[in-house]
Amino acid sequence: IHKDDQSLFRKYMAAIITEEGTSDLLHRITSADGSEKWVKLCAARICTIDRKSEIVHVVVQDVTAAHAAETQATKLGSLLKYSWNEIYLFNNETLKFVEVSEGALRNLGYTLAEMQEMTPQDIRPEIDHKMFDDIIHHLHTGLVEQKVYETVHRRKDGTTYPVEVRLQYCSDVVPPLFMAIVQDITERQRYTSELERKALFDELTDLPNRALLCDRMGELIKQALRNNTIFVVLVVDIKRVKEIDDVLGYETGDELIKQVATRIVESLRKSDVVGHLGGGIFGLLLPLNDETKVNMLMTKLQRLLQVPVEVRGVSLDIDLCIGAALYPRHGDEPSLLLRHADMALQGRATGFYDL
């Protein structure tokens, strides 16, 4: 008998000897190897066959595993009750929810009774049965200890939100359960999306930056190669931006660039792409079916942009220069095409270059 349970054991046995009936006692014993086990005693005082004497009949059952499971379940129950996180316990065989944290119930809008008639598939519309079966199979067979994946949860009102799920198999509880700890990653995805946008889009004009424009040009090259088509790369340089910045302030210069960007975007077709390369320089990708139309496009764009811009009550004349490069004549890589268009831009500015 464990030293801390000896007094309890003596009182129990004394009660069995002096009182009628049977009763149970849960206590600890110390094994020969020093390990601690939990046992359940069921004792009763009974008469011998000849009714001349009485004996105490005791049945001892090792309940160490069950006691550990019950203790863990109690702890999990407290955790689920007070946790603001989404925690789900679901049955190993039926996959129905057994317990769900208050935080999950609050976010999903279901009651616990409603959830206990549901399975994870009922709140995860993006994951089909085969995919989910594969996930729990890997956990059930011990191939992995934990599966982490992102999906979407669907609330009772039909709205959805992105989540990260950490799923594990709890084989040490009776009966075995799956436990999913779920984090709402709406804010994380929004933050990641903002970072990605800042990395690919110009903050001033909200147009693709050089990196994204080159990426789009790479896709356009693949498309042109498949379809045996051509496109032109235009580099447009709005002159005097630095002069305007110095004389009228950066706010005026920035407003000029934004208005020019709006004009360009509004003049393009859906298949065209425009990006801001920095300062007063823009890059355009225009699919063509006839390269003889390049000069016509450049003239049209120049006339459009040379209309004065009204900024803060000041009418600003726009001086610009345009350089062009044709795919595939002038290159088959984004950097090469941009470099050729820039060379054309510089040549036109000095009067020594023609397409």
Side-chain angles (χ1 to χ4, degrees), residues 50-324:
D50 58 11
R51 296 184 177 275
K52 293 182 178 180
S53 60
E54 292 182 331
I55 62 173
V56 176
H57 182 266
V58 180
V59 176
V60 182
Q61 181 183 4
D62 185 347
V63 294
T64 304
H67 183 269
E70 185 177 341
T71 301
Q72 185 172 12
T74 301
K75 291 179 179 178
L76 284 173
S78 299
L79 177 65
L80 293 169
K81 182 176 181 181
Y82 298 109
S83 177
W84 283 80
N85 294 321
E86 292 191 29
I87 304 175
Y88 304 83
L89 300 179
F90 55 93
N91 187 277
N92 170 53
E93 296 181 356
T94 66
L95 301 184
K96 285 189 175 182
F97 292 113
V98 177
E99 292 289 347
V100 180
S101 69
E102 288 290 337
L105 295 175
R106 190 179 301 109
N107 201 2
L108 291 172
Y110 290 103
T111 65
L112 179 58
E114 288 174 323
M115 290 293 292
Q116 288 174 336
E117 295 299 319
M118 301 165 63
T119 72
Q121 289 299 99
D122 296 317
I123 61 172
R124 296 176 189 166
E126 284 192 347
I127 297 183
D128 59 30
H129 287 283
K130 183 180 184 307
M131 188 184 304
F132 191 62
D133 286 345
D134 289 342
I135 291 173
I136 61 176
H137 173 74
H138 290 158
L139 291 166
H140 209 202
T141 56
L143 293 175
V144 293
E145 293 184 358
Q146 185 182 72
K147 290 289 285 186
V148 181
Y149 57 94
E150 292 185 4
T151 184
V152 168
H153 272 189
R154 180 171 53 206
R155 298 184 179 92
K156 187 176 181 178
D157 64 9
T159 60
T160 60
Y161 58 101
V163 295
E164 179 187 80
V165 180
R166 294 181 177 272
L167 182 63
Q168 61 188 55
Y169 180 54
C170 303
S171 58
D172 55 346
V173 298
V174 181
L177 299 169
F178 286 101
M179 180 170 69
I181 300 176
V182 176
Q183 180 183 3
D184 185 335
I185 57 173
T186 302
E187 290 302 319
R188 187 172 80 187
Q189 284 196 353
R190 183 180 296 120
Y191 179 69
T192 301
S193 178
E194 287 176 359
L195 288 180
E196 290 176 349
R197 184 164 188 83
K198 287 180 180 179
L200 297 174
F201 287 84
D202 173 62
E203 190 172 354
L204 177 63
T205 62
D206 205 32
L207 294 176
N209 61 16
R210 181 181 292 271
L212 183 54
L213 189 70
C214 287
D215 182 73
R216 299 275 175 84
M217 200 185 312
E219 293 301 316
L220 197 55
I221 288 171
K222 292 178 185 177
Q223 181 180 333
L225 193 60
R226 287 195 303 268
N227 301 330
N228 194 29
T229 55
I230 62 174
F231 65 89
V232 63
V233 178
L234 300 182
V235 175
V236 180
D237 185 10
I238 307 300
K239 304 295 184 181
R240 298 176 53 231
V241 172
K242 186 177 184 307
E243 179 184 337
I244 292 170
D245 287 342
D246 293 340
V247 176
L248 300 177
Y250 287 104
E251 295 83 359
T252 302
D254 287 349
E255 183 61 29
L256 170 64
I257 291 171
K258 289 166 67 175
Q259 289 199 34
V260 169
T262 300
R263 282 192 188 179
I264 294 175
V265 171
E266 290 177 349
S267 71
L268 299 182
R269 304 163 298 180
K270 287 185 178 180
S271 59
D272 300 332
V273 180
V274 57
H276 186 213
L277 305 181
I281 302 177
F282 296 86
L284 288 77
L285 311 178
L286 311 177
L288 295 174
N289 52 24
D290 184 358
E291 66 177 61
T292 61
K293 294 182 179 180
V294 173
N295 285 324
M296 180 187 70
L297 285 172
M298 293 170 66
T299 301
K300 179 183 175 182
L301 186 61
Q302 192 156 12
R303 287 175 179 169
L304 172 72
L305 296 179
Q306 282 182 330
V307 177
V309 174
E310 188 82 16
V311 179
R312 297 172 181 263
V314 179
S315 180
L316 300 175
D317 291 327
I318 299 178
D319 185 17
L320 69 133
C321 193
I322 304 175

